Amino acid sequence: MLELDGLSKKFKQFYAVKSLNMFVERGEIIGLLGPNGAGKSTAISMISSLAEPTAGDVRYNNKSILKKPGEFRKIVGMVPQEIALYTDLTAEENLQFFGRMYRLKGSILKKRIQEILDLVGLADRKKDVVQTFSGGMKRRLNIGVALLHDPELLIMDEPTVGIDPQSRNYILETVKRLNKERAMTVIYTSHYMEEVEFLCDRIYIMDQGNLIASGTNEEIKRILSSEKTISIKSDQLNEQFIAMLQEHPLVNRVMSTDKEITLMVAKEVSMFGDLTKLAETAGIELTSVHNKTPTLEDVFLHLTGRALRD
Amino acid sequence: MIGILLTKIRMFIRNPWTFIIFTVMSIGFALIIGGNGAATTISVPIYAEDNSVKGSTLEKVLKEDEAFRFNWLKEEEEMLEQIENGKAEVGVILRDTSYQLIVGVDSPNATMIEQAIQRAYRAHNLETALLEVSATNAEEERVSVLEAFDKSMNIPAFEMETTSFRSEDAVIYDNTFQTLFGFTLFFVIYTIAYKLQPILVEKRDGIWDRMILSPVRKWEVYVANLVYSFIEGYVQIVIIFCIFRFWIGVDFHGKFLEALLLITPYIFSIVALSILFTAIVKNVQQFNAIIPIIAVSMAMIGGAYWPLEIVESKILITISKINPLTYGMEILNGVVLYGYTLEDLLFPISILVLMGVVMTGLGIHLMERRHV
């Protein structure tokens, strides 16, 4: 359905996206995962024909969309990262406005607006001005606007940023439902690996403009088949302990937060004894040590040495 | 395009305050600084020493004087106090057959006040002489004699017409129109510019992207924004002029509709200037900072605050030639004060249209370079 061929975007000397290759099949949910600044939004802008690539091509049904994006734009629904709504207008008025942009009129527009309001769970708030909405409600309406013209391809750029867990679940379930019930193809960018894991059939991981991994959830996690993750928790973690772990010959990678350290070691290595000794030397008491199933977060750590939310 | 326009009108109805504030400010400033169109009169304290003066022709004539407002006082001391305190330049003491001028400040007004007093005495003396000649004492007869006199004065035996000549270069300065036109053209810059500012917000928030992805053509989005800001700017000018013409009673010398019609190129050029600045700045904050600077500079250089004729600096005069406000003032002053025809005003109109076309083209081009 959609193919990206060596897509690059350069700003002066800096590559925001470098040689991105990607394909999307009809009915798939594709995840574009990466930390802030990875180049996801730039890639999305080029895919949706809003930004011109420095090099490469975007093909829809084997036709380049770069020169004549008109036909492609008709089947695309775009959910930008920002709340792209008129906050002085009501939910219904916003949908009316964007519906008219898509040449929807009269009873068809009315019916469509009602469907969308029901879908995003805002039917009872349709007469309320958007600026009175919570963050989650605004995000839901933001998605609703993109669905007005019943697009084949829905492109969502971090649609759950800054909202409460309930609204996030609602949005994720809605996306899943759209994909299942209407066979809608979705490109979903996020830096929340759990969202991408939950939603996506295939995942592309980006970092600093480069594509660093791609495949299904399982395929990507298999990258870590030779390694395992150990999670260490303590209230007294200190620099000395972390330094000792980093210098340990069997530890491949170390990632630390205030109360947790994640280690990546070879699958066959047993670290428990060494960890106890190191903790004793550093003068700290460990709360827990356990082996974890690898997550996308671990894959990203393995590939880049940094956490997704760095 | 209609959809965008309707939405903008809907948002205007919901939040019309920017428009209202700038309209009220235009009217307020024009009224406070320019007056209400009536000739400003000088107040002159006057005291009648003889009782016979009160109710006589003297009082009647002085009350009808257009240049001075004679303020009748009961006490002579009160009048002297006003002169001492500088509240009045000149005071007058009236007697039956003579008068006394008390001059506090030696100014040309004293001579003009004396002339007004003399006119009143001449009328008074003429009436007294007429009644003496008619040799009548009955009140009814006196009244009928005076009525006959008034009637004959209204149908004179011959008329004398006085005309003054003015050279083509002569400058007409009317403070009412200077402030009315100046502040109207100045404040409308804000109204128009702030109606194009949402383009920056729409671009920042992704609304613009949504419109670009929709089947709406890009030119429709631009035209809708430009037309809307034009309409709002024009409506503001119409409201201000209507208030001054029909409510306050300013005489546009029969050129009210012409003034409203011929100011449209100015509005077009301001819309164009605003779209140019919308394209040049990077965000709303920059736009909000730059617009007041531009508007005030344009008003100062373009003759909105004071007539350009008093500006001597050649540099400022040269800069004023590239300022749309200069030509806006030229059109309004030309049509209302000088009675120029459309043909006479073709030059400023053409310049404004040219400026509008160039700045619109440049603005949209710059905006497009930043955005697909």
Side-chain angles (χ1 to χ4, degrees), chain B residues 26-56:
Chain B
S26 298
I27 295 166
F29 273 94
L31 269 180
I32 293 162
I33 299 172
N36 60 6
T40 45
T41 51
I42 296 167
S43 175
V44 179
I46 196 164
Y47 168 68
E49 208 170 74
D50 294 338
N51 284 338
S52 57
V53 172
K54 291 287 274 180
S56 71

PDB file of all heavy atoms in Angstrom, chain B residues 26-56:
ATOM      1  N   SER B  26     -10.449  54.251  18.554  1.00  0.00           N
ATOM      2  CA  SER B  26     -10.413  55.189  17.419  1.00  0.00           C
ATOM      3  C   SER B  26     -11.360  56.353  17.682  1.00  0.00           C
ATOM      4  O   SER B  26     -10.983  57.524  17.546  1.00  0.00           O
ATOM      5  CB  SER B  26     -10.871  54.506  16.129  1.00  0.00           C
ATOM      6  OG  SER B  26     -10.035  53.473  15.803  1.00  0.00           O
ATOM      7  N   ILE B  27     -12.596  56.009  18.068  1.00  0.00           N
ATOM      8  CA  ILE B  27     -13.605  57.049  18.290  1.00  0.00           C
ATOM      9  C   ILE B  27     -13.183  57.941  19.462  1.00  0.00           C
ATOM     10  O   ILE B  27     -13.238  59.165  19.374  1.00  0.00           O
ATOM     11  CB  ILE B  27     -14.979  56.393  18.565  1.00  0.00           C
ATOM     12  CG1 ILE B  27     -15.441  55.634  17.313  1.00  0.00           C
ATOM     13  CG2 ILE B  27     -16.016  57.439  18.949  1.00  0.00           C
ATOM     14  CD1 ILE B  27     -16.589  54.677  17.548  1.00  0.00           C
ATOM     15  N   GLY B  28     -12.744  57.298  20.544  1.00  0.00           N
ATOM     16  CA  GLY B  28     -12.354  58.047  21.736  1.00  0.00           C
ATOM     17  C   GLY B  28     -11.238  59.033  21.465  1.00  0.00           C
ATOM     18  O   GLY B  28     -11.359  60.220  21.768  1.00  0.00           O
ATOM     19  N   PHE B  29     -10.183  58.546  20.833  1.00  0.00           N
ATOM     20  CA  PHE B  29      -9.040  59.430  20.553  1.00  0.00           C
ATOM     21  C   PHE B  29      -9.440  60.561  19.611  1.00  0.00           C
ATOM     22  O   PHE B  29      -9.044  61.704  19.801  1.00  0.00           O
ATOM     23  CB  PHE B  29      -7.880  58.625  19.968  1.00  0.00           C
ATOM     24  CG  PHE B  29      -6.993  58.030  21.019  1.00  0.00           C
ATOM     25  CD1 PHE B  29      -7.200  56.740  21.468  1.00  0.00           C
ATOM     26  CD2 PHE B  29      -5.954  58.763  21.576  1.00  0.00           C
ATOM     27  CE1 PHE B  29      -6.390  56.180  22.449  1.00  0.00           C
ATOM     28  CE2 PHE B  29      -5.143  58.213  22.564  1.00  0.00           C
ATOM     29  CZ  PHE B  29      -5.360  56.924  23.004  1.00  0.00           C
ATOM     30  N   ALA B  30     -10.207  60.225  18.586  1.00  0.00           N
ATOM     31  CA  ALA B  30     -10.611  61.246  17.619  1.00  0.00           C
ATOM     32  C   ALA B  30     -11.476  62.307  18.305  1.00  0.00           C
ATOM     33  O   ALA B  30     -11.345  63.502  18.036  1.00  0.00           O
ATOM     34  CB  ALA B  30     -11.360  60.605  16.460  1.00  0.00           C
ATOM     35  N   LEU B  31     -12.339  61.853  19.217  1.00  0.00           N
ATOM     36  CA  LEU B  31     -13.219  62.804  19.913  1.00  0.00           C
ATOM     37  C   LEU B  31     -12.447  63.663  20.895  1.00  0.00           C
ATOM     38  O   LEU B  31     -12.607  64.880  20.921  1.00  0.00           O
ATOM     39  CB  LEU B  31     -14.290  62.025  20.687  1.00  0.00           C
ATOM     40  CG  LEU B  31     -15.598  61.740  19.967  1.00  0.00           C
ATOM     41  CD1 LEU B  31     -16.521  60.962  20.877  1.00  0.00           C
ATOM     42  CD2 LEU B  31     -16.264  63.026  19.520  1.00  0.00           C
ATOM     43  N   ILE B  32     -11.595  63.004  21.682  1.00  0.00           N
ATOM     44  CA  ILE B  32     -10.889  63.743  22.734  1.00  0.00           C
ATOM     45  C   ILE B  32      -9.905  64.735  22.126  1.00  0.00           C
ATOM     46  O   ILE B  32      -9.854  65.903  22.491  1.00  0.00           O
ATOM     47  CB  ILE B  32     -10.159  62.768  23.686  1.00  0.00           C
ATOM     48  CG1 ILE B  32     -11.185  61.951  24.461  1.00  0.00           C
ATOM     49  CG2 ILE B  32      -9.244  63.511  24.654  1.00  0.00           C
ATOM     50  CD1 ILE B  32     -10.629  60.687  25.085  1.00  0.00           C
ATOM     51  N   ILE B  33      -9.146  64.269  21.163  1.00  0.00           N
ATOM     52  CA  ILE B  33      -8.098  65.139  20.613  1.00  0.00           C
ATOM     53  C   ILE B  33      -8.645  66.065  19.529  1.00  0.00           C
ATOM     54  O   ILE B  33      -8.250  67.211  19.425  1.00  0.00           O
ATOM     55  CB  ILE B  33      -6.916  64.295  20.096  1.00  0.00           C
ATOM     56  CG1 ILE B  33      -6.333  63.503  21.268  1.00  0.00           C
ATOM     57  CG2 ILE B  33      -5.829  65.178  19.475  1.00  0.00           C
ATOM     58  CD1 ILE B  33      -5.299  62.500  20.910  1.00  0.00           C
ATOM     59  N   GLY B  34      -9.581  65.569  18.765  1.00  0.00           N
ATOM     60  CA  GLY B  34     -10.039  66.376  17.629  1.00  0.00           C
ATOM     61  C   GLY B  34     -11.270  67.197  17.897  1.00  0.00           C
ATOM     62  O   GLY B  34     -11.637  68.047  17.102  1.00  0.00           O
ATOM     63  N   GLY B  35     -11.972  66.942  19.009  1.00  0.00           N
ATOM     64  CA  GLY B  35     -13.223  67.652  19.237  1.00  0.00           C
ATOM     65  C   GLY B  35     -14.326  66.987  18.464  1.00  0.00           C
ATOM     66  O   GLY B  35     -14.100  66.026  17.738  1.00  0.00           O
ATOM     67  N   ASN B  36     -15.524  67.553  18.639  1.00  0.00           N
ATOM     68  CA  ASN B  36     -16.669  66.872  18.025  1.00  0.00           C
ATOM     69  C   ASN B  36     -17.111  67.498  16.717  1.00  0.00           C
ATOM     70  O   ASN B  36     -18.221  67.292  16.253  1.00  0.00           O
ATOM     71  CB  ASN B  36     -17.839  66.795  18.994  1.00  0.00           C
ATOM     72  CG  ASN B  36     -18.281  68.184  19.403  1.00  0.00           C
ATOM     73  OD1 ASN B  36     -17.783  69.168  18.871  1.00  0.00           O
ATOM     74  ND2 ASN B  36     -19.190  68.252  20.351  1.00  0.00           N
ATOM     75  N   GLY B  37     -16.279  68.291  16.148  1.00  0.00           N
ATOM     76  CA  GLY B  37     -16.622  68.863  14.854  1.00  0.00           C
ATOM     77  C   GLY B  37     -17.185  70.267  14.959  1.00  0.00           C
ATOM     78  O   GLY B  37     -17.153  71.028  14.006  1.00  0.00           O
ATOM     79  N   ALA B  38     -17.705  70.617  16.120  1.00  0.00           N
ATOM     80  CA  ALA B  38     -18.182  71.988  16.274  1.00  0.00           C
ATOM     81  C   ALA B  38     -16.957  72.882  16.440  1.00  0.00           C
ATOM     82  O   ALA B  38     -15.962  72.469  17.025  1.00  0.00           O
ATOM     83  CB  ALA B  38     -19.050  72.080  17.511  1.00  0.00           C
ATOM     84  N   ALA B  39     -17.067  74.130  15.910  1.00  0.00           N
ATOM     85  CA  ALA B  39     -15.908  75.019  16.021  1.00  0.00           C
ATOM     86  C   ALA B  39     -15.646  75.286  17.498  1.00  0.00           C
ATOM     87  O   ALA B  39     -16.569  75.486  18.288  1.00  0.00           O
ATOM     88  CB  ALA B  39     -16.201  76.316  15.296  1.00  0.00           C
ATOM     89  N   THR B  40     -14.409  75.266  17.882  1.00  0.00           N
ATOM     90  CA  THR B  40     -14.100  75.488  19.287  1.00  0.00           C
ATOM     91  C   THR B  40     -14.288  76.972  19.604  1.00  0.00           C
ATOM     92  O   THR B  40     -13.769  77.831  18.893  1.00  0.00           O
ATOM     93  CB  THR B  40     -12.656  75.077  19.587  1.00  0.00           C
ATOM     94  OG1 THR B  40     -11.831  75.593  18.563  1.00  0.00           O
ATOM     95  CG2 THR B  40     -12.525  73.577  19.648  1.00  0.00           C
ATOM     96  N   THR B  41     -15.035  77.245  20.622  1.00  0.00           N
ATOM     97  CA  THR B  41     -15.332  78.646  20.949  1.00  0.00           C
ATOM     98  C   THR B  41     -14.566  79.072  22.192  1.00  0.00           C
ATOM     99  O   THR B  41     -14.312  78.264  23.078  1.00  0.00           O
ATOM    100  CB  THR B  41     -16.845  78.828  21.187  1.00  0.00           C
ATOM    101  OG1 THR B  41     -17.252  77.851  22.127  1.00  0.00           O
ATOM    102  CG2 THR B  41     -17.637  78.655  19.900  1.00  0.00           C
ATOM    103  N   ILE B  42     -14.267  80.346  22.227  1.00  0.00           N
ATOM    104  CA  ILE B  42     -13.534  80.886  23.386  1.00  0.00           C
ATOM    105  C   ILE B  42     -14.560  81.490  24.340  1.00  0.00           C
ATOM    106  O   ILE B  42     -15.460  82.233  23.929  1.00  0.00           O
ATOM    107  CB  ILE B  42     -12.532  81.962  22.918  1.00  0.00           C
ATOM    108  CG1 ILE B  42     -11.493  81.312  22.013  1.00  0.00           C
ATOM    109  CG2 ILE B  42     -11.872  82.671  24.102  1.00  0.00           C
ATOM    110  CD1 ILE B  42     -10.653  82.294  21.241  1.00  0.00           C
ATOM    111  N   SER B  43     -14.410  81.149  25.608  1.00  0.00           N
ATOM    112  CA  SER B  43     -15.350  81.661  26.599  1.00  0.00           C
ATOM    113  C   SER B  43     -14.917  83.057  27.060  1.00  0.00           C
ATOM    114  O   SER B  43     -13.751  83.270  27.391  1.00  0.00           O
ATOM    115  CB  SER B  43     -15.394  80.686  27.773  1.00  0.00           C
ATOM    116  OG  SER B  43     -16.192  81.204  28.788  1.00  0.00           O
ATOM    117  N   VAL B  44     -15.849  83.991  27.037  1.00  0.00           N
ATOM    118  CA  VAL B  44     -15.530  85.371  27.437  1.00  0.00           C
ATOM    119  C   VAL B  44     -16.482  85.764  28.578  1.00  0.00           C
ATOM    120  O   VAL B  44     -17.706  85.801  28.388  1.00  0.00           O
ATOM    121  CB  VAL B  44     -15.711  86.346  26.247  1.00  0.00           C
ATOM    122  CG1 VAL B  44     -15.397  87.774  26.676  1.00  0.00           C
ATOM    123  CG2 VAL B  44     -14.847  85.914  25.077  1.00  0.00           C
ATOM    124  N   PRO B  45     -15.936  86.058  29.774  1.00  0.00           N
ATOM    125  CA  PRO B  45     -16.826  86.497  30.864  1.00  0.00           C
ATOM    126  C   PRO B  45     -17.342  87.928  30.599  1.00  0.00           C
ATOM    127  O   PRO B  45     -16.572  88.779  30.138  1.00  0.00           O
ATOM    128  CB  PRO B  45     -15.915  86.445  32.099  1.00  0.00           C
ATOM    129  CG  PRO B  45     -14.533  86.530  31.574  1.00  0.00           C
ATOM    130  CD  PRO B  45     -14.536  85.964  30.182  1.00  0.00           C
ATOM    131  N   ILE B  46     -18.595  88.109  30.859  1.00  0.00           N
ATOM    132  CA  ILE B  46     -19.200  89.413  30.548  1.00  0.00           C
ATOM    133  C   ILE B  46     -20.082  89.847  31.724  1.00  0.00           C
ATOM    134  O   ILE B  46     -20.751  89.021  32.344  1.00  0.00           O
ATOM    135  CB  ILE B  46     -19.969  89.297  29.200  1.00  0.00           C
ATOM    136  CG1 ILE B  46     -20.286  90.655  28.630  1.00  0.00           C
ATOM    137  CG2 ILE B  46     -21.227  88.464  29.315  1.00  0.00           C
ATOM    138  CD1 ILE B  46     -20.687  90.606  27.162  1.00  0.00           C
ATOM    139  N   TYR B  47     -20.012  91.154  32.012  1.00  0.00           N
ATOM    140  CA  TYR B  47     -20.820  91.678  33.142  1.00  0.00           C
ATOM    141  C   TYR B  47     -21.575  92.921  32.673  1.00  0.00           C
ATOM    142  O   TYR B  47     -20.996  93.832  32.094  1.00  0.00           O
ATOM    143  CB  TYR B  47     -19.877  92.022  34.305  1.00  0.00           C
ATOM    144  CG  TYR B  47     -20.532  92.815  35.392  1.00  0.00           C
ATOM    145  CD1 TYR B  47     -21.526  92.222  36.202  1.00  0.00           C
ATOM    146  CD2 TYR B  47     -20.203  94.144  35.617  1.00  0.00           C
ATOM    147  CE1 TYR B  47     -22.154  92.956  37.192  1.00  0.00           C
ATOM    148  CE2 TYR B  47     -20.815  94.884  36.617  1.00  0.00           C
ATOM    149  CZ  TYR B  47     -21.798  94.290  37.405  1.00  0.00           C
ATOM    150  OH  TYR B  47     -22.424  95.018  38.370  1.00  0.00           O
ATOM    151  N   ALA B  48     -22.893  92.921  32.919  1.00  0.00           N
ATOM    152  CA  ALA B  48     -23.713  94.070  32.495  1.00  0.00           C
ATOM    153  C   ALA B  48     -23.870  95.015  33.679  1.00  0.00           C
ATOM    154  O   ALA B  48     -24.476  94.650  34.693  1.00  0.00           O
ATOM    155  CB  ALA B  48     -25.060  93.571  32.000  1.00  0.00           C
ATOM    156  N   GLU B  49     -23.293  96.220  33.529  1.00  0.00           N
ATOM    157  CA  GLU B  49     -23.344  97.174  34.632  1.00  0.00           C
ATOM    158  C   GLU B  49     -24.733  97.824  34.721  1.00  0.00           C
ATOM    159  O   GLU B  49     -25.239  98.053  35.794  1.00  0.00           O
ATOM    160  CB  GLU B  49     -22.263  98.245  34.422  1.00  0.00           C
ATOM    161  CG  GLU B  49     -21.756  98.839  35.704  1.00  0.00           C
ATOM    162  CD  GLU B  49     -20.532  99.708  35.454  1.00  0.00           C
ATOM    163  OE1 GLU B  49     -20.691 100.837  34.921  1.00  0.00           O
ATOM    164  OE2 GLU B  49     -19.413  99.238  35.745  1.00  0.00           O
ATOM    165  N   ASP B  50     -25.303  98.092  33.521  1.00  0.00           N
ATOM    166  CA  ASP B  50     -26.650  98.683  33.474  1.00  0.00           C
ATOM    167  C   ASP B  50     -27.669  97.561  33.280  1.00  0.00           C
ATOM    168  O   ASP B  50     -27.483  96.688  32.421  1.00  0.00           O
ATOM    169  CB  ASP B  50     -26.763  99.675  32.306  1.00  0.00           C
ATOM    170  CG  ASP B  50     -25.838 100.881  32.539  1.00  0.00           C
ATOM    171  OD1 ASP B  50     -25.486 101.119  33.723  1.00  0.00           O
ATOM    172  OD2 ASP B  50     -25.450 101.518  31.545  1.00  0.00           O
ATOM    173  N   ASN B  51     -28.745  97.649  34.027  1.00  0.00           N
ATOM    174  CA  ASN B  51     -29.768  96.602  33.924  1.00  0.00           C
ATOM    175  C   ASN B  51     -30.440  96.563  32.559  1.00  0.00           C
ATOM    176  O   ASN B  51     -30.942  95.517  32.118  1.00  0.00           O
ATOM    177  CB  ASN B  51     -30.846  96.821  35.001  1.00  0.00           C
ATOM    178  CG  ASN B  51     -30.300  96.380  36.344  1.00  0.00           C
ATOM    179  OD1 ASN B  51     -29.366  95.579  36.410  1.00  0.00           O
ATOM    180  ND2 ASN B  51     -30.866  96.924  37.415  1.00  0.00           N
ATOM    181  N   SER B  52     -30.451  97.740  31.891  1.00  0.00           N
ATOM    182  CA  SER B  52     -31.137  97.816  30.594  1.00  0.00           C
ATOM    183  C   SER B  52     -30.477  96.935  29.533  1.00  0.00           C
ATOM    184  O   SER B  52     -31.093  96.565  28.535  1.00  0.00           O
ATOM    185  CB  SER B  52     -31.161  99.267  30.099  1.00  0.00           C
ATOM    186  OG  SER B  52     -29.823  99.727  30.021  1.00  0.00           O
ATOM    187  N   VAL B  53     -29.218  96.600  29.773  1.00  0.00           N
ATOM    188  CA  VAL B  53     -28.494  95.770  28.788  1.00  0.00           C
ATOM    189  C   VAL B  53     -29.106  94.381  28.701  1.00  0.00           C
ATOM    190  O   VAL B  53     -29.280  93.824  27.630  1.00  0.00           O
ATOM    191  CB  VAL B  53     -26.997  95.688  29.165  1.00  0.00           C
ATOM    192  CG1 VAL B  53     -26.270  94.675  28.281  1.00  0.00           C
ATOM    193  CG2 VAL B  53     -26.346  97.048  29.033  1.00  0.00           C
ATOM    194  N   LYS B  54     -29.424  93.851  29.891  1.00  0.00           N
ATOM    195  CA  LYS B  54     -29.974  92.489  29.923  1.00  0.00           C
ATOM    196  C   LYS B  54     -31.328  92.444  29.199  1.00  0.00           C
ATOM    197  O   LYS B  54     -32.180  93.315  29.389  1.00  0.00           O
ATOM    198  CB  LYS B  54     -30.185  92.031  31.379  1.00  0.00           C
ATOM    199  CG  LYS B  54     -28.902  91.802  32.130  1.00  0.00           C
ATOM    200  CD  LYS B  54     -28.192  90.535  31.682  1.00  0.00           C
ATOM    201  CE  LYS B  54     -28.678  89.317  32.416  1.00  0.00           C
ATOM    202  NZ  LYS B  54     -27.980  88.107  31.956  1.00  0.00           N
ATOM    203  N   GLY B  55     -31.482  91.499  28.343  1.00  0.00           N
ATOM    204  CA  GLY B  55     -32.730  91.324  27.605  1.00  0.00           C
ATOM    205  C   GLY B  55     -32.820  92.212  26.384  1.00  0.00           C
ATOM    206  O   GLY B  55     -33.791  92.164  25.626  1.00  0.00           O
ATOM    207  N   SER B  56     -31.784  93.044  26.178  1.00  0.00           N
ATOM    208  CA  SER B  56     -31.813  93.925  25.000  1.00  0.00           C
ATOM    209  C   SER B  56     -31.241  93.204  23.778  1.00  0.00           C
ATOM    210  O   SER B  56     -30.822  92.046  23.852  1.00  0.00           O
ATOM    211  CB  SER B  56     -30.980  95.181  25.291  1.00  0.00           C
ATOM    212  OG  SER B  56     -29.613  94.810  25.316  1.00  0.00           O
TER     213      SER B  56
END
